[in-house]
Amino acid sequence: MEHSICTLGSHSALQILRGAKDEGFKTIVLCKQGTEEVYQQFGVADEIIRMPCFKDLPKHADELIKKKAIIIPHASLIEYTGNDEVMKLKVPYFGNKKVLEWESDRSLQREWLEKSGLKLPEIFASPKDIKKSVIVKFHGAKGGKGYFVARNEADFKAKIVNHPNEKYVIQEYIIGVPMYIHYFYSPLLDEVEIMSFDKRYESNVDSLGRISARDQIALEKVDPSYVIVGNIPLVIRESFLPQVLEMGKRVVAVSKKIAPPGIWGPFCLETILTPEMQFCVFEISARIVAGTNPYVNGSPYTWLRYNEPMSTGRRIAREIKNAIAQKKLPMVIQ
Ligand code: AMP
C-alpha cells in the first residue's frame, strides 16, 4: 500500500495502528519521548517519530506528507494539537474538520443534538434556576476532573468557591446508567453501523458505593469526581438496538445539513439510560473514543457483521482502503 496511517501515541493509537496494519498499511506513530516502548513492545508501528512534547505534531507535517501519511484523529491528538492547529494541518486527515467546531462549542453541540430529536439533560442558565440535582461541568476539564453535584443554589454556592474564574455549565443530573454508544458512519456505503458499547470506570465516583452511606458521611468532604481511568465493555439489551440505530442515523443526517458533507467515520453518543428506558444524551464525541479499546479483536456486534476481527481502528483503515480501491479517497480525507 502506497499510503501510510499515522496517529499520536496515546488514547486509542494501539488499536488504530494495529487495525491499519491488519488492512495492509504501513504505520507511523508520533510519540512523546519516553513513551515509545509501549508502541515497540506491541509491534504496531513500522516507524516511530519521537517528539519532546505532543504539541510538536505540526512540525512533522512535511515529513508526514512526503510519507503519504493519513492522520487518524483521536481525542488526545485534538486536545494536544489544538483545534486551530488541526484546522491548519496540511497532512491528509480522516474526518470532516468542519465538525470540530460543532463539537467543541457546547451550545453548537447542543443545537446539533436537539435538531437530531434526542433527549438532552436540562441546562440551568443561572444557579438561581436550579430546581433539581445538577452536575456542574467545567470547560476543558480533562476527564471530568473537578465536576461536582449540587442539590440547590446554596449547595452550588458552597462548592463553586473552589473554582474561581472557571467557566462552567449547570446540567440536570440524570439518574440512570451511563451507556456509551460507538458508531461508524461509512460515506462509501451510506450506512450507520453499530460498533460496540462501553461504560467508563471513573475515579472516585465508581468506588463511592463500596462504602456504606454512613461511612461516606463520616468521611466528610468526599465529593464525587469523574476522572476517567478505564473502560468496561458492555452488551446492551437487544430490544434497545433499533432505537440506538435510529439515534445514530439522525445525528448523521443533521450533520450533513449543519456541516456539509457531514460527519463520517467513528463517533460516540454519551448517554445515561434511565429506568424509563430513555436515552438521555449528554455529549457527542465526533471521532474514535477510548471506549472502543476493549474491542481490539472486535465486539460481539462487529463479529456478527464482519465475521472477522474488526476493531473501530481497523474499520477506519478498511474505509480508507475501500475508498482508495474505488478511487474515492477525497470522500474520506481532508
Ligand atoms: P463528561 O465530561 O460530560 O463526559 O462527563 C463525565 C462523567 O460525568 C460521565 O461519564 C458521567 O458519569 C457523568 N455525567 C455527565 N453528565 C451527566 C448527567 N447529565 N447526569 C449524570 N451523570 C452525568
Side-chain angles (χ1 to χ4, degrees), residues 137 147 171-174 180 200 202 226 270 283:
K137 300 182 177 184
Y147 288 8
Q171 206 175 74
E172 169 189 5
Y173 188 88
I174 308 288
Y180 292 75
R200 289 180 174 179
E202 292 166 337
Y226 299 83
E270 313 192 350
E283 204 162 311

Side-chain angles (χ1 to χ4, degrees), residues 102-113:
W102 283 84
E103 186 199 20
S104 58
D105 178 314
R106 279 197 199 265
S107 43
L108 285 179
Q109 183 177 126
R110 200 169 166 88
E111 189 183 326
W112 177 9
L113 297 174

Side-chain angles (χ1 to χ4, degrees), residues 22 44 70 82 85 88-89 131 141 191 193 203 228 239 245 252 261 273 282 285 298 318 329:
D22 287 345
V44 294
I70 297 171
E85 283 299 322
K88 284 191 257 167
L89 211 60
K131 285 191 273 326
E191 193 177 359
E193 302 170 24
S203 190
I228 178 145
S239 57
L245 192 54
V252 170
L273 184 45
F282 60 89
S285 290
R318 176 74 55 94
L329 191 57

